[in-house]
Amino acid sequence: MIKVKDLRRSFGSVVAVDGISFEVEKGQVLGLLGPNGAGKSTAMRMITCFIKPDGGTASVCGHDILQDPLGVRRCLGYVPENVPAYNEMTVGGFLNFICDVRGIKGKNRKKALDRVVPMCSIESVYHQTIETLSKGYKRRVGLAQALIHDPEVLILDEPTDGLDPNQKHEVRRLISQMSQDKCIIVSTHILEEVDAVCSRTIIIARGKILVDSTPKALKEKHHAGLDEVFRKITKTKGN
Amino acid sequence: MNSFKAVFKRELKSYFTTPLAYVFLVIFLFFAGYLTFKQGFFEMRQADLRPFFQNLPLLFVFMVPSTAMRLWAEERKSGTIELLCTLPVTITQAVLGKFLAAWLFLTIALALTFPLVITVCYLGNPDIGLIITGYIGSVLMAGGFLAIGCFFSALSKNQVIAFVLSVVACAILVFAGMPTTLDYLSTFLPRGLVNAVESMSFQTHFDSIQRGVLELRDLSYFVLLIVGWITACGIILDERKAG
């Protein structure tokens, strides 16, 4: 459902993403793993059509990111890093705005809200303004926003960053729950997360793909925990 | 269309969910009234709104950039632009939605000066046509200033910088047409250039609309100004949204 072909992007003289290619199918949860500044967010921003690639292309559900960016945006849900949201709005107002933009109206809107609000457990803060929410709630509002149109493709940039262990567990449970009928990309530098939710993992550093495998195969191959494998791969292969 | 309407609605609402709208309206209406009566409204012994319209450009130089500065700068600073630009919204829809919402807000502010109209109607028999063209000119001028403000707001992430730059740009466009500036320029510039400066200024076109003459060249000046700055705003945003 997601096909990435030789995607590149640089900022000035810094090459952020240097020709990455991969494919993700329905039912897969792909963990994009890498040290900070490896190019994970940049890659995600290109797939979600926020920034344009310098070279290469990608397609999501058959829509090309260069030819049909609106089609791409319609069929994916995206939670950017740090989960930006309009702080002065209430949770309800914010979700209704997303419905407006996505053209979800009338009965469908009610259905969508009834599905997504309990799913992300944000009933209790529905009428609160977003700036008054704790980090955990903000993140769940961000997730609700991405799930409201029941997208086939979900892209989450560090979805558990800054959450407490209970909240992390909660978000991971949500991701696993949805994984069967969706195609999900999760970026992270937390290794236990990959173990917990991902069916496949790609390790990138300095904009290049170093490993494309499954967490299980990686551990077996190197006879070590993911932590050690990660250090080994990103430190030796990158140089 | 859906997404345009959604952006428009959200933006307009956001003025009123924060204290911004109320602070703006109170200060704008206070100065609109104060400047009008201070500058010889009664001494003129004439029932018209000229003193009000004459002071508007000066008031707008400060007030319009203060509404425009947050439009994109805030969105870029808080990162919500990444959310907005990954929703099924084109840049054009987003830029127009926000611009028109802010323009409608300024039009509401202008409409709230209606007590002045009632006052002159009570005091005498004003030329209603003149008042109507005066308001049309003011709305167009607000749109022009706003388009400039939009552009600078897209240019800088910092709201203060956006504000200062657009105040300067608007002030240049207003003062370029003042008689004192033109007199000074004509001492060393050839006539053609002075005329060019004059016809680029807000003041010149606003004055002639205010006198009750709706000419195509004045209207097209404002339309071109708005379209030009808004297009530039869209291009800048497309380039810089991620930075």
PDB file of all heavy atoms in Angstrom, chain B residues 68-69 71-73 76 95 99 143-157 162 165-166 169 225-237 240:
ATOM      1  N   ALA B  68      -3.152  40.530  11.116  1.00  0.00           N
ATOM      2  CA  ALA B  68      -2.578  39.645  10.101  1.00  0.00           C
ATOM      3  C   ALA B  68      -1.366  38.882  10.617  1.00  0.00           C
ATOM      4  O   ALA B  68      -1.077  37.788  10.145  1.00  0.00           O
ATOM      5  CB  ALA B  68      -2.180  40.459   8.872  1.00  0.00           C
ATOM      6  N   MET B  69      -0.667  39.429  11.615  1.00  0.00           N
ATOM      7  CA  MET B  69       0.634  38.862  11.981  1.00  0.00           C
ATOM      8  C   MET B  69       0.551  37.406  12.441  1.00  0.00           C
ATOM      9  O   MET B  69       1.455  36.624  12.217  1.00  0.00           O
ATOM     10  CB  MET B  69       1.306  39.714  13.049  1.00  0.00           C
ATOM     11  CG  MET B  69       0.611  39.701  14.383  1.00  0.00           C
ATOM     12  SD  MET B  69       1.505  40.763  15.523  1.00  0.00           S
ATOM     13  CE  MET B  69       0.672  40.431  17.049  1.00  0.00           C
ATOM     14  N   LEU B  71      -1.614  35.124  11.422  1.00  0.00           N
ATOM     15  CA  LEU B  71      -2.213  34.182  10.464  1.00  0.00           C
ATOM     16  C   LEU B  71      -1.323  32.977  10.159  1.00  0.00           C
ATOM     17  O   LEU B  71      -1.736  31.845  10.315  1.00  0.00           O
ATOM     18  CB  LEU B  71      -2.558  34.912   9.161  1.00  0.00           C
ATOM     19  CG  LEU B  71      -3.820  35.762   9.223  1.00  0.00           C
ATOM     20  CD1 LEU B  71      -4.045  36.478   7.910  1.00  0.00           C
ATOM     21  CD2 LEU B  71      -5.035  34.928   9.573  1.00  0.00           C
ATOM     22  N   TRP B  72      -0.084  33.229   9.718  1.00  0.00           N
ATOM     23  CA  TRP B  72       0.782  32.103   9.379  1.00  0.00           C
ATOM     24  C   TRP B  72       1.928  31.930  10.352  1.00  0.00           C
ATOM     25  O   TRP B  72       2.404  30.820  10.576  1.00  0.00           O
ATOM     26  CB  TRP B  72       1.310  32.247   7.953  1.00  0.00           C
ATOM     27  CG  TRP B  72       0.218  32.046   6.959  1.00  0.00           C
ATOM     28  CD1 TRP B  72      -0.411  33.006   6.233  1.00  0.00           C
ATOM     29  CD2 TRP B  72      -0.416  30.808   6.631  1.00  0.00           C
ATOM     30  NE1 TRP B  72      -1.397  32.442   5.474  1.00  0.00           N
ATOM     31  CE2 TRP B  72      -1.420  31.105   5.686  1.00  0.00           C
ATOM     32  CE3 TRP B  72      -0.231  29.480   7.043  1.00  0.00           C
ATOM     33  CZ2 TRP B  72      -2.232  30.117   5.145  1.00  0.00           C
ATOM     34  CZ3 TRP B  72      -1.045  28.508   6.501  1.00  0.00           C
ATOM     35  CH2 TRP B  72      -2.033  28.828   5.567  1.00  0.00           C
ATOM     36  N   ALA B  73       2.388  33.052  10.946  1.00  0.00           N
ATOM     37  CA  ALA B  73       3.531  32.956  11.862  1.00  0.00           C
ATOM     38  C   ALA B  73       3.209  32.011  13.022  1.00  0.00           C
ATOM     39  O   ALA B  73       4.008  31.144  13.378  1.00  0.00           O
ATOM     40  CB  ALA B  73       3.902  34.337  12.379  1.00  0.00           C
ATOM     41  N   ARG B  76       3.103  28.402  11.922  1.00  0.00           N
ATOM     42  CA  ARG B  76       4.425  27.817  11.703  1.00  0.00           C
ATOM     43  C   ARG B  76       5.150  27.583  13.010  1.00  0.00           C
ATOM     44  O   ARG B  76       5.835  26.589  13.196  1.00  0.00           O
ATOM     45  CB  ARG B  76       5.254  28.721  10.798  1.00  0.00           C
ATOM     46  CG  ARG B  76       4.844  28.600   9.357  1.00  0.00           C
ATOM     47  CD  ARG B  76       5.649  29.479   8.462  1.00  0.00           C
ATOM     48  NE  ARG B  76       7.065  29.206   8.547  1.00  0.00           N
ATOM     49  CZ  ARG B  76       8.002  30.051   8.134  1.00  0.00           C
ATOM     50  NH1 ARG B  76       7.661  31.199   7.632  1.00  0.00           N
ATOM     51  NH2 ARG B  76       9.263  29.724   8.235  1.00  0.00           N
ATOM     52  N   VAL B  95      -4.642  29.433   2.119  1.00  0.00           N
ATOM     53  CA  VAL B  95      -4.307  30.859   2.108  1.00  0.00           C
ATOM     54  C   VAL B  95      -5.566  31.704   1.958  1.00  0.00           C
ATOM     55  O   VAL B  95      -5.800  32.648   2.707  1.00  0.00           O
ATOM     56  CB  VAL B  95      -3.311  31.171   0.969  1.00  0.00           C
ATOM     57  CG1 VAL B  95      -3.167  32.662   0.773  1.00  0.00           C
ATOM     58  CG2 VAL B  95      -1.961  30.557   1.275  1.00  0.00           C
ATOM     59  N   PHE B  99      -7.201  34.223   4.687  1.00  0.00           N
ATOM     60  CA  PHE B  99      -7.248  35.629   4.302  1.00  0.00           C
ATOM     61  C   PHE B  99      -8.676  36.164   4.357  1.00  0.00           C
ATOM     62  O   PHE B  99      -8.944  37.208   4.947  1.00  0.00           O
ATOM     63  CB  PHE B  99      -6.667  35.799   2.893  1.00  0.00           C
ATOM     64  CG  PHE B  99      -6.862  37.177   2.333  1.00  0.00           C
ATOM     65  CD1 PHE B  99      -6.076  38.225   2.777  1.00  0.00           C
ATOM     66  CD2 PHE B  99      -7.827  37.424   1.378  1.00  0.00           C
ATOM     67  CE1 PHE B  99      -6.256  39.503   2.281  1.00  0.00           C
ATOM     68  CE2 PHE B  99      -8.016  38.700   0.873  1.00  0.00           C
ATOM     69  CZ  PHE B  99      -7.227  39.747   1.329  1.00  0.00           C
ATOM     70  N   GLY B 143      -8.390  45.118   2.949  1.00  0.00           N
ATOM     71  CA  GLY B 143      -7.971  43.917   2.233  1.00  0.00           C
ATOM     72  C   GLY B 143      -6.534  44.027   1.736  1.00  0.00           C
ATOM     73  O   GLY B 143      -5.753  43.089   1.833  1.00  0.00           O
ATOM     74  N   GLY B 144      -6.192  45.206   1.209  1.00  0.00           N
ATOM     75  CA  GLY B 144      -4.831  45.421   0.706  1.00  0.00           C
ATOM     76  C   GLY B 144      -3.799  45.294   1.811  1.00  0.00           C
ATOM     77  O   GLY B 144      -2.792  44.584   1.686  1.00  0.00           O
ATOM     78  N   PHE B 145      -4.059  45.980   2.939  1.00  0.00           N
ATOM     79  CA  PHE B 145      -3.133  45.916   4.080  1.00  0.00           C
ATOM     80  C   PHE B 145      -3.011  44.487   4.576  1.00  0.00           C
ATOM     81  O   PHE B 145      -1.936  44.017   4.934  1.00  0.00           O
ATOM     82  CB  PHE B 145      -3.653  46.795   5.222  1.00  0.00           C
ATOM     83  CG  PHE B 145      -3.355  48.256   5.058  1.00  0.00           C
ATOM     84  CD1 PHE B 145      -3.271  48.833   3.806  1.00  0.00           C
ATOM     85  CD2 PHE B 145      -3.161  49.065   6.167  1.00  0.00           C
ATOM     86  CE1 PHE B 145      -2.999  50.183   3.654  1.00  0.00           C
ATOM     87  CE2 PHE B 145      -2.875  50.418   6.027  1.00  0.00           C
ATOM     88  CZ  PHE B 145      -2.804  50.973   4.766  1.00  0.00           C
ATOM     89  N   LEU B 146      -4.158  43.804   4.602  1.00  0.00           N
ATOM     90  CA  LEU B 146      -4.196  42.445   5.121  1.00  0.00           C
ATOM     91  C   LEU B 146      -3.366  41.506   4.250  1.00  0.00           C
ATOM     92  O   LEU B 146      -2.636  40.651   4.759  1.00  0.00           O
ATOM     93  CB  LEU B 146      -5.650  41.973   5.155  1.00  0.00           C
ATOM     94  CG  LEU B 146      -5.927  40.716   5.938  1.00  0.00           C
ATOM     95  CD1 LEU B 146      -5.591  40.938   7.393  1.00  0.00           C
ATOM     96  CD2 LEU B 146      -7.388  40.339   5.804  1.00  0.00           C
ATOM     97  N   ALA B 147      -3.469  41.697   2.920  1.00  0.00           N
ATOM     98  CA  ALA B 147      -2.702  40.847   2.012  1.00  0.00           C
ATOM     99  C   ALA B 147      -1.210  41.029   2.263  1.00  0.00           C
ATOM    100  O   ALA B 147      -0.448  40.058   2.281  1.00  0.00           O
ATOM    101  CB  ALA B 147      -3.054  41.179   0.569  1.00  0.00           C
ATOM    102  N   ILE B 148      -0.804  42.294   2.505  1.00  0.00           N
ATOM    103  CA  ILE B 148       0.604  42.560   2.810  1.00  0.00           C
ATOM    104  C   ILE B 148       0.992  41.879   4.130  1.00  0.00           C
ATOM    105  O   ILE B 148       2.015  41.218   4.237  1.00  0.00           O
ATOM    106  CB  ILE B 148       0.853  44.080   2.889  1.00  0.00           C
ATOM    107  CG1 ILE B 148       0.628  44.705   1.515  1.00  0.00           C
ATOM    108  CG2 ILE B 148       2.260  44.373   3.393  1.00  0.00           C
ATOM    109  CD1 ILE B 148       0.697  46.208   1.507  1.00  0.00           C
ATOM    110  N   GLY B 149       0.108  42.031   5.121  1.00  0.00           N
ATOM    111  CA  GLY B 149       0.359  41.408   6.422  1.00  0.00           C
ATOM    112  C   GLY B 149       0.468  39.898   6.318  1.00  0.00           C
ATOM    113  O   GLY B 149       1.327  39.279   6.943  1.00  0.00           O
ATOM    114  N   CYS B 150      -0.395  39.288   5.503  1.00  0.00           N
ATOM    115  CA  CYS B 150      -0.383  37.842   5.269  1.00  0.00           C
ATOM    116  C   CYS B 150       0.974  37.399   4.745  1.00  0.00           C
ATOM    117  O   CYS B 150       1.542  36.411   5.195  1.00  0.00           O
ATOM    118  CB  CYS B 150      -1.401  37.487   4.192  1.00  0.00           C
ATOM    119  SG  CYS B 150      -2.889  36.800   4.802  1.00  0.00           S
ATOM    120  N   PHE B 151       1.467  38.158   3.786  1.00  0.00           N
ATOM    121  CA  PHE B 151       2.737  37.820   3.159  1.00  0.00           C
ATOM    122  C   PHE B 151       3.854  37.817   4.198  1.00  0.00           C
ATOM    123  O   PHE B 151       4.619  36.857   4.296  1.00  0.00           O
ATOM    124  CB  PHE B 151       3.042  38.819   2.038  1.00  0.00           C
ATOM    125  CG  PHE B 151       4.422  38.678   1.477  1.00  0.00           C
ATOM    126  CD1 PHE B 151       4.696  37.684   0.544  1.00  0.00           C
ATOM    127  CD2 PHE B 151       5.446  39.514   1.886  1.00  0.00           C
ATOM    128  CE1 PHE B 151       5.969  37.537   0.035  1.00  0.00           C
ATOM    129  CE2 PHE B 151       6.724  39.373   1.377  1.00  0.00           C
ATOM    130  CZ  PHE B 151       6.989  38.384   0.442  1.00  0.00           C
ATOM    131  N   PHE B 152       3.943  38.883   4.990  1.00  0.00           N
ATOM    132  CA  PHE B 152       5.044  38.952   5.960  1.00  0.00           C
ATOM    133  C   PHE B 152       4.876  37.930   7.070  1.00  0.00           C
ATOM    134  O   PHE B 152       5.846  37.440   7.640  1.00  0.00           O
ATOM    135  CB  PHE B 152       5.174  40.370   6.516  1.00  0.00           C
ATOM    136  CG  PHE B 152       5.809  41.305   5.531  1.00  0.00           C
ATOM    137  CD1 PHE B 152       5.082  42.308   4.938  1.00  0.00           C
ATOM    138  CD2 PHE B 152       7.139  41.150   5.173  1.00  0.00           C
ATOM    139  CE1 PHE B 152       5.652  43.152   4.006  1.00  0.00           C
ATOM    140  CE2 PHE B 152       7.720  41.986   4.239  1.00  0.00           C
ATOM    141  CZ  PHE B 152       6.983  42.989   3.655  1.00  0.00           C
ATOM    142  N   SER B 153       3.619  37.590   7.358  1.00  0.00           N
ATOM    143  CA  SER B 153       3.372  36.574   8.368  1.00  0.00           C
ATOM    144  C   SER B 153       3.848  35.206   7.873  1.00  0.00           C
ATOM    145  O   SER B 153       4.305  34.375   8.656  1.00  0.00           O
ATOM    146  CB  SER B 153       1.879  36.540   8.679  1.00  0.00           C
ATOM    147  OG  SER B 153       1.573  35.490   9.523  1.00  0.00           O
ATOM    148  N   ALA B 154       3.749  34.999   6.557  1.00  0.00           N
ATOM    149  CA  ALA B 154       4.230  33.729   6.005  1.00  0.00           C
ATOM    150  C   ALA B 154       5.756  33.732   5.925  1.00  0.00           C
ATOM    151  O   ALA B 154       6.403  32.692   5.956  1.00  0.00           O
ATOM    152  CB  ALA B 154       3.637  33.496   4.623  1.00  0.00           C
ATOM    153  N   LEU B 155       6.324  34.944   5.840  1.00  0.00           N
ATOM    154  CA  LEU B 155       7.765  35.071   5.663  1.00  0.00           C
ATOM    155  C   LEU B 155       8.520  34.780   6.949  1.00  0.00           C
ATOM    156  O   LEU B 155       9.590  34.182   6.933  1.00  0.00           O
ATOM    157  CB  LEU B 155       8.075  36.501   5.191  1.00  0.00           C
ATOM    158  CG  LEU B 155       9.413  36.765   4.562  1.00  0.00           C
ATOM    159  CD1 LEU B 155       9.530  35.993   3.258  1.00  0.00           C
ATOM    160  CD2 LEU B 155       9.564  38.257   4.290  1.00  0.00           C
ATOM    161  N   SER B 156       7.963  35.218   8.067  1.00  0.00           N
ATOM    162  CA  SER B 156       8.692  35.067   9.330  1.00  0.00           C
ATOM    163  C   SER B 156       7.898  34.226  10.319  1.00  0.00           C
ATOM    164  O   SER B 156       6.695  34.360  10.421  1.00  0.00           O
ATOM    165  CB  SER B 156       8.956  36.443   9.944  1.00  0.00           C
ATOM    166  OG  SER B 156       9.425  36.281  11.251  1.00  0.00           O
ATOM    167  N   LYS B 157       8.607  33.396  11.061  1.00  0.00           N
ATOM    168  CA  LYS B 157       7.968  32.594  12.090  1.00  0.00           C
ATOM    169  C   LYS B 157       7.638  33.448  13.303  1.00  0.00           C
ATOM    170  O   LYS B 157       6.842  33.079  14.131  1.00  0.00           O
ATOM    171  CB  LYS B 157       8.958  31.520  12.550  1.00  0.00           C
ATOM    172  CG  LYS B 157       8.583  30.137  12.135  1.00  0.00           C
ATOM    173  CD  LYS B 157       9.536  29.188  12.799  1.00  0.00           C
ATOM    174  CE  LYS B 157       9.798  28.016  11.920  1.00  0.00           C
ATOM    175  NZ  LYS B 157      10.717  27.064  12.505  1.00  0.00           N
ATOM    176  N   ALA B 162       7.004  39.848  11.869  1.00  0.00           N
ATOM    177  CA  ALA B 162       5.961  39.955  10.847  1.00  0.00           C
ATOM    178  C   ALA B 162       5.205  41.255  11.001  1.00  0.00           C
ATOM    179  O   ALA B 162       4.930  41.961  10.025  1.00  0.00           O
ATOM    180  CB  ALA B 162       5.007  38.770  10.952  1.00  0.00           C
ATOM    181  N   LEU B 165       7.522  44.389  10.032  1.00  0.00           N
ATOM    182  CA  LEU B 165       7.739  44.473   8.592  1.00  0.00           C
ATOM    183  C   LEU B 165       6.479  44.923   7.863  1.00  0.00           C
ATOM    184  O   LEU B 165       6.533  45.755   6.957  1.00  0.00           O
ATOM    185  CB  LEU B 165       8.197  43.116   8.040  1.00  0.00           C
ATOM    186  CG  LEU B 165       9.628  42.715   8.379  1.00  0.00           C
ATOM    187  CD1 LEU B 165       9.941  41.339   7.814  1.00  0.00           C
ATOM    188  CD2 LEU B 165      10.611  43.740   7.840  1.00  0.00           C
ATOM    189  N   SER B 166       5.316  44.401   8.278  1.00  0.00           N
ATOM    190  CA  SER B 166       4.123  44.800   7.528  1.00  0.00           C
ATOM    191  C   SER B 166       3.706  46.222   7.869  1.00  0.00           C
ATOM    192  O   SER B 166       3.184  46.922   6.998  1.00  0.00           O
ATOM    193  CB  SER B 166       2.965  43.806   7.676  1.00  0.00           C
ATOM    194  OG  SER B 166       2.969  43.203   8.905  1.00  0.00           O
ATOM    195  N   ALA B 169       5.889  48.278   5.587  1.00  0.00           N
ATOM    196  CA  ALA B 169       5.460  48.191   4.187  1.00  0.00           C
ATOM    197  C   ALA B 169       4.172  48.982   3.970  1.00  0.00           C
ATOM    198  O   ALA B 169       4.047  49.738   3.005  1.00  0.00           O
ATOM    199  CB  ALA B 169       5.263  46.730   3.791  1.00  0.00           C
ATOM    200  N   LEU B 225      -3.347  44.551  -6.076  1.00  0.00           N
ATOM    201  CA  LEU B 225      -2.534  44.556  -4.860  1.00  0.00           C
ATOM    202  C   LEU B 225      -2.825  43.309  -4.023  1.00  0.00           C
ATOM    203  O   LEU B 225      -1.915  42.583  -3.598  1.00  0.00           O
ATOM    204  CB  LEU B 225      -2.873  45.804  -4.062  1.00  0.00           C
ATOM    205  CG  LEU B 225      -1.958  46.112  -2.887  1.00  0.00           C
ATOM    206  CD1 LEU B 225      -0.821  46.981  -3.374  1.00  0.00           C
ATOM    207  CD2 LEU B 225      -2.718  46.842  -1.797  1.00  0.00           C
ATOM    208  N   ILE B 226      -4.114  43.039  -3.829  1.00  0.00           N
ATOM    209  CA  ILE B 226      -4.500  41.896  -2.999  1.00  0.00           C
ATOM    210  C   ILE B 226      -4.066  40.595  -3.659  1.00  0.00           C
ATOM    211  O   ILE B 226      -3.406  39.753  -3.037  1.00  0.00           O
ATOM    212  CB  ILE B 226      -6.027  41.903  -2.752  1.00  0.00           C
ATOM    213  CG1 ILE B 226      -6.400  43.089  -1.865  1.00  0.00           C
ATOM    214  CG2 ILE B 226      -6.475  40.596  -2.109  1.00  0.00           C
ATOM    215  CD1 ILE B 226      -7.882  43.313  -1.707  1.00  0.00           C
ATOM    216  N   VAL B 227      -4.404  40.447  -4.940  1.00  0.00           N
ATOM    217  CA  VAL B 227      -4.071  39.195  -5.637  1.00  0.00           C
ATOM    218  C   VAL B 227      -2.555  38.975  -5.638  1.00  0.00           C
ATOM    219  O   VAL B 227      -2.062  37.886  -5.348  1.00  0.00           O
ATOM    220  CB  VAL B 227      -4.619  39.219  -7.087  1.00  0.00           C
ATOM    221  CG1 VAL B 227      -4.095  38.030  -7.876  1.00  0.00           C
ATOM    222  CG2 VAL B 227      -6.133  39.206  -7.071  1.00  0.00           C
ATOM    223  N   GLY B 228      -1.810  40.051  -5.911  1.00  0.00           N
ATOM    224  CA  GLY B 228      -0.355  39.937  -5.970  1.00  0.00           C
ATOM    225  C   GLY B 228       0.256  39.479  -4.661  1.00  0.00           C
ATOM    226  O   GLY B 228       1.012  38.501  -4.615  1.00  0.00           O
ATOM    227  N   TRP B 229      -0.078  40.156  -3.569  1.00  0.00           N
ATOM    228  CA  TRP B 229       0.532  39.812  -2.276  1.00  0.00           C
ATOM    229  C   TRP B 229       0.079  38.444  -1.792  1.00  0.00           C
ATOM    230  O   TRP B 229       0.851  37.711  -1.184  1.00  0.00           O
ATOM    231  CB  TRP B 229       0.209  40.883  -1.227  1.00  0.00           C
ATOM    232  CG  TRP B 229       0.986  42.144  -1.400  1.00  0.00           C
ATOM    233  CD1 TRP B 229       0.590  43.255  -2.081  1.00  0.00           C
ATOM    234  CD2 TRP B 229       2.307  42.429  -0.912  1.00  0.00           C
ATOM    235  NE1 TRP B 229       1.582  44.205  -2.039  1.00  0.00           N
ATOM    236  CE2 TRP B 229       2.639  43.740  -1.320  1.00  0.00           C
ATOM    237  CE3 TRP B 229       3.238  41.709  -0.150  1.00  0.00           C
ATOM    238  CZ2 TRP B 229       3.847  44.349  -1.011  1.00  0.00           C
ATOM    239  CZ3 TRP B 229       4.454  42.318   0.163  1.00  0.00           C
ATOM    240  CH2 TRP B 229       4.747  43.613  -0.264  1.00  0.00           C
ATOM    241  N   ILE B 230      -1.189  38.099  -2.084  1.00  0.00           N
ATOM    242  CA  ILE B 230      -1.691  36.800  -1.636  1.00  0.00           C
ATOM    243  C   ILE B 230      -1.001  35.665  -2.411  1.00  0.00           C
ATOM    244  O   ILE B 230      -0.638  34.635  -1.846  1.00  0.00           O
ATOM    245  CB  ILE B 230      -3.225  36.729  -1.829  1.00  0.00           C
ATOM    246  CG1 ILE B 230      -3.905  37.528  -0.726  1.00  0.00           C
ATOM    247  CG2 ILE B 230      -3.731  35.311  -1.799  1.00  0.00           C
ATOM    248  CD1 ILE B 230      -3.725  36.939   0.642  1.00  0.00           C
ATOM    249  N   THR B 231      -0.792  35.890  -3.702  1.00  0.00           N
ATOM    250  CA  THR B 231      -0.090  34.873  -4.494  1.00  0.00           C
ATOM    251  C   THR B 231       1.326  34.693  -3.967  1.00  0.00           C
ATOM    252  O   THR B 231       1.804  33.570  -3.787  1.00  0.00           O
ATOM    253  CB  THR B 231      -0.027  35.298  -5.977  1.00  0.00           C
ATOM    254  OG1 THR B 231      -1.326  35.740  -6.364  1.00  0.00           O
ATOM    255  CG2 THR B 231       0.403  34.159  -6.862  1.00  0.00           C
ATOM    256  N   ALA B 232       1.979  35.829  -3.691  1.00  0.00           N
ATOM    257  CA  ALA B 232       3.340  35.760  -3.150  1.00  0.00           C
ATOM    258  C   ALA B 232       3.334  35.004  -1.829  1.00  0.00           C
ATOM    259  O   ALA B 232       4.220  34.182  -1.552  1.00  0.00           O
ATOM    260  CB  ALA B 232       3.889  37.165  -2.952  1.00  0.00           C
ATOM    261  N   CYS B 233       2.319  35.230  -1.024  1.00  0.00           N
ATOM    262  CA  CYS B 233       2.188  34.545   0.263  1.00  0.00           C
ATOM    263  C   CYS B 233       2.098  33.034   0.056  1.00  0.00           C
ATOM    264  O   CYS B 233       2.776  32.262   0.726  1.00  0.00           O
ATOM    265  CB  CYS B 233       0.950  35.075   0.982  1.00  0.00           C
ATOM    266  SG  CYS B 233       0.479  34.172   2.430  1.00  0.00           S
ATOM    267  N   GLY B 234       1.282  32.625  -0.931  1.00  0.00           N
ATOM    268  CA  GLY B 234       1.133  31.199  -1.228  1.00  0.00           C
ATOM    269  C   GLY B 234       2.457  30.577  -1.656  1.00  0.00           C
ATOM    270  O   GLY B 234       2.819  29.487  -1.209  1.00  0.00           O
ATOM    271  N   ILE B 235       3.188  31.297  -2.513  1.00  0.00           N
ATOM    272  CA  ILE B 235       4.457  30.758  -3.010  1.00  0.00           C
ATOM    273  C   ILE B 235       5.466  30.608  -1.874  1.00  0.00           C
ATOM    274  O   ILE B 235       6.110  29.577  -1.721  1.00  0.00           O
ATOM    275  CB  ILE B 235       5.019  31.685  -4.113  1.00  0.00           C
ATOM    276  CG1 ILE B 235       4.078  31.650  -5.329  1.00  0.00           C
ATOM    277  CG2 ILE B 235       6.424  31.268  -4.520  1.00  0.00           C
ATOM    278  CD1 ILE B 235       4.389  32.675  -6.385  1.00  0.00           C
ATOM    279  N   ILE B 236       5.558  31.652  -1.056  1.00  0.00           N
ATOM    280  CA  ILE B 236       6.485  31.624   0.082  1.00  0.00           C
ATOM    281  C   ILE B 236       6.157  30.460   1.018  1.00  0.00           C
ATOM    282  O   ILE B 236       7.026  29.733   1.483  1.00  0.00           O
ATOM    283  CB  ILE B 236       6.379  32.951   0.875  1.00  0.00           C
ATOM    284  CG1 ILE B 236       7.082  34.058   0.112  1.00  0.00           C
ATOM    285  CG2 ILE B 236       6.962  32.827   2.259  1.00  0.00           C
ATOM    286  CD1 ILE B 236       8.563  34.040   0.238  1.00  0.00           C
ATOM    287  N   LEU B 237       4.860  30.280   1.270  1.00  0.00           N
ATOM    288  CA  LEU B 237       4.450  29.215   2.183  1.00  0.00           C
ATOM    289  C   LEU B 237       4.839  27.850   1.639  1.00  0.00           C
ATOM    290  O   LEU B 237       5.334  26.988   2.366  1.00  0.00           O
ATOM    291  CB  LEU B 237       2.948  29.242   2.368  1.00  0.00           C
ATOM    292  CG  LEU B 237       2.439  30.039   3.532  1.00  0.00           C
ATOM    293  CD1 LEU B 237       0.942  29.951   3.583  1.00  0.00           C
ATOM    294  CD2 LEU B 237       3.041  29.534   4.818  1.00  0.00           C
ATOM    295  N   ARG B 240       8.510  27.428   2.216  1.00  0.00           N
ATOM    296  CA  ARG B 240       9.106  27.504   3.537  1.00  0.00           C
ATOM    297  C   ARG B 240       8.352  26.791   4.631  1.00  0.00           C
ATOM    298  O   ARG B 240       8.733  26.897   5.793  1.00  0.00           O
ATOM    299  CB  ARG B 240       9.170  28.963   3.992  1.00  0.00           C
ATOM    300  CG  ARG B 240       9.917  29.868   3.131  1.00  0.00           C
ATOM    301  CD  ARG B 240      10.239  31.064   3.952  1.00  0.00           C
ATOM    302  NE  ARG B 240      11.472  31.648   3.509  1.00  0.00           N
ATOM    303  CZ  ARG B 240      12.153  32.519   4.207  1.00  0.00           C
ATOM    304  NH1 ARG B 240      11.720  32.878   5.386  1.00  0.00           N
ATOM    305  NH2 ARG B 240      13.272  33.005   3.755  1.00  0.00           N
TER     306      ARG B 240
END
